[in-house]
Amino acid sequence: MSEPADGDTPGDRPPGSDDDTPVAGVVLDPPPETDDRGDEPERDAAIWVRDDWYVCLGLFLVSLLFVGLHQASYETLSPIDELQHVDFVIRAGEFDIPLRNERVGQEAMAEAACRSVDAPGYEGPPCGLDEYDPAEFQEDGFNTAASQFPPYYVVTGVTARVLTEIGVFDSKVTAARTLGAVWAGAAWSVAWYLMALLGIRRRARAVALTLLLVTPLTIFHAGATVNADVSLMLTGALAVLATMKYEAGRLRWWWLPPIYAGLLFVEATNILAIAACGAYLMVRQGTDATMPWRWRLAPLVIPPSLFLFRTELAGRVHEALFPPAPRASAGDRVSSAPMFVNHRIDEVSIDKVLGQLSSTFTPVRNPYFSPPLRSQVTIAGVELTNWLLISLMFATAFVVAVTDRAAWWARVTIAALLAAGPFYTFYFAYFSNQDFPAPARFALPLVPLMVVVVAAAIQYGRVFLIASAVAALCAVNTLYQLVSAL
């Protein structure tokens, strides 16, 4: 059996097993003795060494480089409700949580007026006014982000306020955007560790990370703009990490429910990563005949728990903690954000639900292309990356995986990516009477899993060379696009 890494201590095991009896998932599956090139992969004994810490530092620096370059050439606010998220971050930095039906504050409006908004036909008020009218901004100034839980906004807002007050930045928006690189760097570092737990060779890890790190999806949505989506890759990676540690016997079972619940209260979109983890445990633990029946059935609790959280618990907890503000008076021309009025529907369209099957499969193919990244070469690179990711995930799931763990992680990732689009479109239509297609960014919690399962296939022969070439070309193009936009 492998020695615990990084100071881990073995957790409790299912009743009826003793310390010397192998339990499904307790022993880490070893990597292959040799690959088809004859190279010997790293062994479990070297799962984490000093060089891995240097890699993590490098991941933070690379994230800071791409986010910094993007920010330098893209001062305007994102059209994806960044004004509302900026308002939330600014106010949360003062521990003032926005409420539903409230309008954005003067500081956020001043930022939007001076930066403008990257939206066709947008014409905001001039910069430098003493006071702004919320009705002159997107969504008539309603804070459409106020229904979200505040952990990301408080952490980012407080840190941005401190960095601004001590003079590191001259704008809280600039500070908050820069902090996106920290969130992204942390997510990539956890993904690096996840790949180490599966015994994936370091060179394969590097290529897989590069493929995802340089895409517009992760640069724009998960780093360079102010949005709670920035936290999704890290929280998704932490859900997978907790699941792997539990399976390896290094995390006691009673830690899983509060960890999953905590991640859901950071951002409800984490339901995708947690559902994938639950599906993985149902297969791995439920089919293990050596386990007592109650342990084999335990993962079956996860799906109904997630359903109840998403449909019942989350909204009630949020409303109890942050009651909505009174709606605007009758004299106001609108009483709700136009987006909620314009997208209102009375029934679910199955055609629209099924039409979302490919919206998040894979999410790299359908991001928002900001002007610094907007080129035909970038679009071609995204398409090429998308095809490569799909083929590598299916290869790990059904062809080349040498361990059941890697294969099943690939299978549940594919299933979750396919189900995410229809799930969210149905959820919005059925529970909120809103017609919203699922944006690709909703699949960000699954990106760390994509990295892991793609890396598992890259370990082999010419696949490594092909993936390396695609990653290098896309990285060079992304860097060129960002530098040339300065």
Side-chain angles (χ1 to χ4, degrees):
M1 185 188 301
S2 306
E3 291 296 323
D6 304 320
D8 293 324
T9 56
D12 60 332
R13 300 192 178 188
S17 65
D18 57 52
D19 290 341
D20 297 321
T21 303
V23 176
V26 173
V27 181
L28 292 177
D29 298 318
E33 289 296 327
T34 58
D35 65 10
D36 58 359
R37 292 169 54 101
D39 297 324
E40 183 176 350
E42 293 93 352
R43 309 303 293 171
D44 192 23
I47 190 173
W48 196 264
V49 295
R50 181 180 298 175
D51 287 347
D52 292 297
W53 291 111
Y54 294 146
V55 170
C56 291
L57 175 60
L59 291 171
F60 277 95
L61 294 177
V62 170
S63 296
L64 185 61
L65 171 66
F66 282 109
V67 168
L69 287 174
H70 189 281
Q71 182 172 206
S73 57
Y74 187 78
E75 293 186 356
T76 57
L77 296 186
S78 160
I80 308 174
D81 299 333
E82 190 174 12
L83 167 60
Q84 286 75 16
H85 296 290
V86 164
D87 179 63
F88 204 147
V89 162
I90 290 173
R91 293 175 61 179
E94 304 285 346
F95 301 103
D96 173 25
I97 306 302
L99 304 178
R100 280 176 290 181
N101 303 326
E102 283 190 338
R103 305 289 183 99
V104 295
Q106 290 295 324
E107 187 173 355
M109 288 189 285
E111 289 278 4
C114 295
R115 292 173 178 266
S116 190
V117 177
D118 176 26
Y122 175 82
E123 293 185 9
C127 177
L129 298 182
D130 293 333
E131 188 173 350
Y132 292 94
D133 179 4
E136 296 182 357
F137 293 86
Q138 287 176 301
E139 301 301 330
D140 282 299
F142 283 97
N143 192 320
T144 55
S147 60
Q148 295 185 260
F149 284 99
Y152 159 79
Y153 300 98
V154 172
V155 171
T156 302
V158 170
T159 308
R161 177 171 62 86
V162 171
L163 292 174
T164 303
E165 288 178 352
I166 64 177
V168 177
F169 298 99
D170 59 2
S171 164
K172 293 177 184 176
V173 174
T174 303
R177 283 180 163 185
T178 305
L179 289 170
V182 179
W183 286 94
W188 298 130
S189 298
V190 176
W192 183 266
Y193 183 57
L194 294 176
M195 290 184 279
L197 291 179
L198 288 179
I200 296 173
R201 305 181 67 194
R202 288 178 175 85
R203 67 176 192 177
R205 299 183 221 168
V207 173
L209 277 172
T210 302
L211 279 171
L212 273 301
L213 193 151
V214 300
T215 64
L217 172 79
T218 56
I219 292 175
F220 184 80
H221 294 291
T225 54
V226 181
N227 194 314
D229 294 338
V230 168
S231 68
L232 290 178
M233 289 199 309
L234 176 58
T235 49
L238 292 176
V240 178
L241 176 60
T243 305
M244 285 189 180
K245 288 294 186 179
Y246 162 73
E247 186 189 20
R250 296 169 181 174
L251 182 72
R252 297 182 184 274
W253 68 267
W254 56 71
W255 280 109
L256 275 186
I259 288 174
Y260 288 165
L263 295 175
L264 286 169
F265 281 114
V266 172
E267 226 291 345
T269 314
N270 287 310
I271 193 173
L272 294 178
I274 297 170
C277 293
Y280 175 83
L281 289 177
M282 282 191 288
V283 173
R284 293 279 292 170
Q285 195 165 302
T287 58
D288 182 6
T290 66
M291 280 190 171
W293 65 268
R294 59 185 179 277
W295 284 80
R296 296 172 64 183
L297 295 179
L300 296 177
V301 177
I302 297 175
S305 300
L306 292 176
F307 177 79
L308 289 175
F309 172 87
R310 197 68 178 91
T311 58
E312 300 291 339
L313 182 61
R316 294 183 181 183
V317 170
H318 190 282
E319 189 163 341
L321 294 175
F322 313 106
R327 286 189 177 271
S329 64
D332 200 346
R333 67 186 186 91
V334 291
S335 60
S336 182
M339 63 183 292
F340 299 131
V341 176
N342 298 336
H343 290 272
R344 185 166 182 81
I345 57 174
D346 296 322
E347 61 181 15
V348 178
S349 171
I350 298 301
D351 289 342
K352 288 187 177 181
V353 170
L354 295 179
Q356 295 298 305
L357 192 64
S358 63
S359 63
T360 56
F361 188 77
T362 66
V364 303
R365 63 180 286 269
N366 194 30
Y368 177 76
F369 288 91
S370 60
L373 296 172
R374 197 175 295 163
S375 76
Q376 195 58 48
V377 176
T378 302
I379 294 173
V382 166
E383 290 293 333
L384 185 59
T385 300
N386 182 59
W387 295 337
L388 181 61
L389 293 175
I390 291 173
S391 61
L392 292 175
M393 286 193 293
F394 273 96
T396 301
F398 303 107
V399 182
V400 302
V402 295
T403 68
D404 281 343
R405 291 193 305 153
W408 276 110
W409 276 122
R411 292 163 190 165
V412 299
T413 301
I414 292 170
L417 288 170
L418 286 171
F423 166 75
Y424 272 106
T425 300
F426 173 82
Y427 177 86
F428 291 139
Y430 187 82
F431 293 101
S432 302
N433 297 111
Q434 296 289 318
D435 179 22
F436 285 116
R441 57 192 172 86
F442 278 15
L444 282 170
L446 297 172
V447 167
L449 260 179
M450 292 174 61
V451 171
V452 171
V453 300
V454 163
I458 291 177
Q459 298 183 98
Y460 303 97
R462 284 183 288 272
V463 176
F464 171 79
L465 298 178
I466 295 171
S468 298
V470 174
L473 289 173
C474 292
V476 169
N477 174 67
T478 299
L479 192 59
Y480 171 78
Q481 292 291 140
L482 292 175
V483 171
S484 61
L486 295 176

